[in-house]
Amino acid sequence: MTAQFDVAVIGLGAMGSAALAFLSARGVRAIGIDAHFPAHALSSSHGDSRLIRLGYFEDPSYVPLLQRAYENWRMLEARLRTDVLTTTGVLQIGAPDSKIVAGTRASCALHSLAYEELDRQAMAARFPAFSLDEGEIALLDPQGGYIRPEIAVMGYLTTAAADGAVLHLGEKITSIEPDDAGVTITSPLGSYRAGKVIVSTGSWIAELVPQLKQHAVPIRQVVAWYQPRNGFATQPQRMPVFLRDEGAEGSYFGFPAIGADGVKVGRHAHFREPIDPNQPNPPVNETDTALLDGFVAKRLPAVSGLRVNATTCRYTMLPSEDFLLDFMPGSSRVVVASPCSGHGFKFTSVVGEILADLAADGGTDLPINAFSFESMERFVARSVG
Ligand SMILES: Cc1cc2nc3c(=O)[nH]c(=O)nc-3n(C[C@H](O)[C@H](O)[C@H](O)COP(=O)(O)OP(=O)(O)OC[C@H]3O[C@@H](n4cnc5c(N)ncnc54)[C@H](O)[C@@H]3O)c2cc1C
């Protein structure tokens, strides 16, 4: 028998869980389906912490979305009566003309956002966990901090279920067939009819959205945790979350000691190695740990070389490293949510609202024009042209 829903959300990681919660809160009859148990180890939405910041160096046009995301994170916290987002400030460290430092400054200037500038001496006095080269600076975004991904995903699913959503876990959707009256989605366990479908399947997105086969590339990401050498200097009050621009070597990110494993460190996009989403994440190897151990030894004097944990996770990159939030070309019944190129978690709370708007209303007032299939194709055409 086929069940009838207003909206079906396929994939309940960060983006899908939030979309399901926003839909259910609006009284939409919704079903959420995930192939596994949400925030599982093969998803992109696990691992203790995700960075959030407001002065977005990548592009100032993200700032209005971030402002809304902050409001929505606080709404989730109020509903759950627990902390999801902790403010520690975020330090963006590098040469004054580096992409991260210059981009953060430009974004703050355009949107009149507060930030503090610290030179090497000021950093040593105030935040002794870090070591800066002569001439490097740090911009402190006072609104920055970290989000707990597992609490956020499970929190959104809990509120969705409380508001009437149906949850099917351990069921993989294998086809989506839109027609004039609705969409049929099918798994080995059954088929369902819905008026609209949201596809938020992370690193598996191209399996259901063929237009993304060439464009959405899952890559391997590695993070490691280290015990502090100086426990005082690595507490969140003395060690804000950070991003560090290392020029041609890329950028690194890290978190203070917020759990038993200590300080967490990773390099954005790591070695950009493509992976098969249907295989287990390739294990951490000596090249991975040598890279991260080397960074810790050089840049974080308050952190010891005692690495107690390391794990692989996955980013899914689009060509421009932006987002994609749009209807599937040729169907106004299927909404596609890209996994956001390794920087999407902080936006989950606003992406959920946007996806719910698109599915329930056919459009949104939030600024997403840059995240269309057309923009992605224009970018690809410019890059190869
Ligand atoms: C190590 C790491 C660090 C990161 N750091 C940050 C950060 O500091 N700040 C930040 O903003 N972002 C960060 N990101 C990026 C952010 O976490 C991701 O953008 C986000 O988690 C992607 O969520 P998602 O819901 O799109 O995908 P996922 O979490 O992967 O969820 C997709 C879900 O879809 C399910 N699924 C797949 N196929 C099917 C199917 N056919 N049928 C049913 N279900 C299906 C899967 O089981 C999975 O649960 C980081 C990512 C990683 C990996």
Side-chain angles (χ1 to χ4, degrees):
M1 202 175 81
T2 52
Q4 179 76 47
F5 296 93
D6 298 330
V7 180
V9 181
I10 308 173
L12 300 174
M15 309 309 161
S17 65
L20 192 67
F22 276 93
L23 287 165
S24 309
R26 291 167 62 164
V28 172
R29 256 170 55 83
I31 180 171
I33 304 173
D34 198 288
H36 303 286
F37 195 83
H40 58 90
L42 295 180
S43 77
S44 296
S45 303
H46 68 100
D48 273 354
S49 49
R50 290 290 186 273
L51 208 148
I52 182 163
R53 56 205 149 84
L54 193 52
Y56 220 55
F57 77 84
E58 289 88 339
D59 195 315
S61 64
Y62 281 96
V63 171
L65 287 176
L66 280 163
Q67 287 167 325
R68 180 64 159 223
Y70 269 89
E71 282 173 28
N72 289 354
W73 285 123
R74 296 307 181 199
M75 276 170 46
L76 178 65
E77 289 180 321
R79 176 98 194 258
L80 296 176
R81 294 168 184 258
T82 194
D83 288 345
V84 178
L85 191 171
T86 303
T87 307
T88 58
V90 167
L91 286 166
Q92 328 228 21
I93 306 169
D97 61 352
S98 61
K99 190 173 163 196
I100 288 181
V101 173
T104 302
R105 202 194 290 283
S107 202
C108 290
L110 192 71
H111 291 282
S112 306
L113 303 175
Y115 69 90
E116 232 182 299
E117 181 170 334
L118 295 107
D119 63 15
R120 191 181 181 204
Q121 287 70 31
M123 280 290 288
R126 195 156 148 202
F127 300 123
F130 302 95
S131 157
L132 269 62
D133 289 342
E134 194 59 53
E136 285 186 327
I137 60 168
L139 302 185
L140 177 65
D141 177 343
Q143 305 249 40
Y146 63 88
I147 303 164
R148 294 291 205 173
E150 288 86 355
I151 296 176
V153 171
M154 296 317 292
Y156 273 131
L157 291 179
T158 305
T159 68
D163 290 339
V166 173
L167 293 181
H168 283 203
L169 306 181
E171 179 169 1
K172 183 164 180 167
I173 296 299
T174 47
S175 77
I176 303 175
E177 291 164 67
D179 54 51
D180 289 347
V183 189
T184 302
I185 59 173
T186 305
S187 81
L189 302 179
S191 64
Y192 311 89
R193 281 289 284 175
K196 302 278 177 68
V197 165
I198 295 173
V199 187
S200 46
T201 51
S203 61
W204 295 266
I205 194 106
E207 291 181 356
L208 295 175
V209 185
Q211 293 87 343
L212 289 178
K213 278 214 162 71
Q214 303 301 320
H215 301 314
V217 181
I219 62 168
R220 186 167 164 270
Q221 175 64 33
V222 175
V223 289
W225 284 259
Y226 297 83
Q227 286 297 299
R229 189 187 307 285
N230 176 343
F232 179 67
T234 54
Q235 290 306 300
Q237 303 87 323
R238 303 278 292 176
M239 182 181 182
V241 175
F242 70 92
L243 277 183
R244 197 178 210 297
D245 195 317
E246 294 283 353
E249 214 201 300
S251 63
Y252 289 76
F253 56 86
F255 299 82
I258 54 178
D261 280 350
V263 171
K264 177 179 163 186
V265 170
R267 176 163 78 160
H268 179 66
H270 201 55
F271 294 121
R272 291 184 185 269
E273 295 161 75
I275 55 162
D276 176 350
N278 287 311
Q279 294 300 318
N281 290 332
V284 176
N285 60 42
E286 281 177 12
T287 312
D288 302 325
T289 50
L291 178 88
L292 299 178
D293 292 357
F295 174 78
V296 167
K298 186 172 172 196
R299 298 301 193 189
L300 298 173
V303 179
S304 79
L306 186 59
R307 178 173 19 82
V308 290
N309 195 359
T311 188
T312 42
C313 187
R314 7 173 119 168
Y315 281 6
T316 302
M317 311 303 272
L318 289 183
S320 63
E321 303 200 3
D322 270 319
F323 301 171
L324 176 69
L325 303 169
D326 197 2
F327 294 96
M328 196 186 228
S331 176
S332 57
R333 293 191 176 275
V334 181
V335 177
V336 179
S338 80
C340 301
S341 303
H343 62 116
F345 204 96
K346 60 182 83 59
F347 295 90
T348 296
S349 59
V350 66
V351 168
E353 183 182 4
I354 290 166
L355 297 173
D357 286 350
L358 293 178
D361 303 336
T364 181
D365 292 337
L366 289 157
I368 58 161
N369 287 345
F371 306 143
S372 63
F373 271 95
E374 207 182 310
S375 306
M376 184 185 75
E377 271 141 25
R378 268 204 308 272
F379 179 89
V380 172
R382 274 203 310 275
S383 318
V384 295

